[in-house]
Amino acid sequence: MCTDEASAAAEPTVIGRAGSYSKGVARRQEILDRAIEVFRERGADGTSLRRIATAIGVSHAALLHYFDSREQLLVAVYEHAESQRDTAKMYEDRSALDVLVTAAVINIGVPGMVELYTTLVATALAVDGSPSNTFFSSRFARIREDLTQRLAAGQAAGSVRQDVDPADMAALLIAASDGLQVQWLLEPTVELERTLETFAVLFAPTS
């Protein structure tokens, strides 16, 4: 959900324990790769860490070796899925709106991951300092900064209206993208791409 190009620009964050040796690092990545496939199909269905272990074909003890809780594992799965996209190249020299629309279209191609995202964001609101709260607070800040810079560049180039703060426009774009993807989860006939592209009119120069 939302755009993820700014996340790709930062060094990947190790959520949980990385493993002490190369074999342990590879094992952790294998677990996350399997978990991504499960959540792409199913989303976050509220099952326990033990049942997640069964679904991805590893022992409960193996998960606990790397992750302290179900929430920590889910955040790691989401972060790992995002890190697999070559978004830095994908979004190079593109406008904020182009980035937003492209990311949203990619996201709805994997409904389970959109569901996982919405679950984790809701969890992030519940407890300050929790794994999801820490991860998404930082992620939103990076995305707002990236979109703000793209919008400011658009203003300088004359392609974006000058009378609205680019930081405010960035926050509105993120809110619209996330909100529309939630609506799409509930009602798949929602025209996500077409609706987001309405911002091309709203942000067009006024003169």
Side-chain angles (χ1 to χ4, degrees):
M1 285 267 277
C2 216
T3 56
D4 53 15
E5 74 290 344
S7 300
E11 287 295 321
T13 302
V14 176
I15 299 166
R17 288 174 286 278
S20 302
Y21 303 98
S22 59
K23 184 177 180 179
V25 172
R27 177 60 168 161
R28 181 183 185 276
Q29 180 162 325
E30 180 185 3
I31 288 172
L32 291 175
D33 287 339
R34 291 184 187 177
I36 285 172
E37 294 307 314
V38 170
F39 289 116
R40 278 177 176 163
E41 296 175 2
R42 308 181 189 181
D45 60 2
T47 57
S48 66
L49 197 63
R50 189 179 299 277
R51 292 186 66 183
I52 292 172
T54 300
I56 65 178
V58 301
S59 69
H60 185 227
L63 285 190
L64 289 176
H65 179 73
Y66 297 102
F67 307 103
D68 293 328
S69 65
R70 175 180 179 274
E71 181 187 358
Q72 193 178 74
L73 169 64
L74 297 187
V75 173
V77 168
Y78 189 83
E79 187 277 334
H80 187 59
E82 281 203 329
S83 72
Q84 293 182 334
R85 298 182 187 176
D86 188 10
T87 51
K89 185 177 294 185
M90 184 188 305
Y91 299 130
E92 186 177 5
D93 298 326
R94 297 181 67 177
S95 72
L97 184 57
D98 284 344
V99 167
L100 190 89
V101 172
T102 301
V105 170
I106 291 172
N107 289 339
I108 65 174
V110 281
M113 295 305 290
V114 177
E115 182 183 343
L116 176 59
Y117 175 93
T118 58
T119 299
L120 287 172
V121 170
T123 303
L125 298 174
V127 181
D128 286 344
S130 67
S132 55
N133 180 275
T134 299
F135 176 78
F136 283 102
S137 294
S138 176
R139 183 178 182 277
F140 276 124
R142 291 197 305 272
I143 294 169
R144 283 195 302 270
E145 181 180 0
D146 180 86
L147 292 181
T148 297
Q149 290 175 357
R150 291 175 190 266
L151 288 161
Q155 288 179 329
S159 60
V160 175
R161 61 188 299 165
Q162 302 281 340
D163 59 337
V164 182
D165 189 307
D168 292 342
M169 288 189 281
L172 286 171
L173 283 173
I174 294 168
S177 179
D178 279 16
L180 282 167
Q181 288 179 68
V182 170
Q183 291 180 56
W184 173 84
L185 278 176
L186 296 170
E187 179 47 70
T189 62
V190 169
E191 294 286 346
L192 180 67
E193 184 175 0
R194 180 181 58 78
T195 305
L196 285 174
E197 287 176 345
T198 303
F199 280 99
V201 177
L202 298 177
F203 289 173
T206 54
S207 60

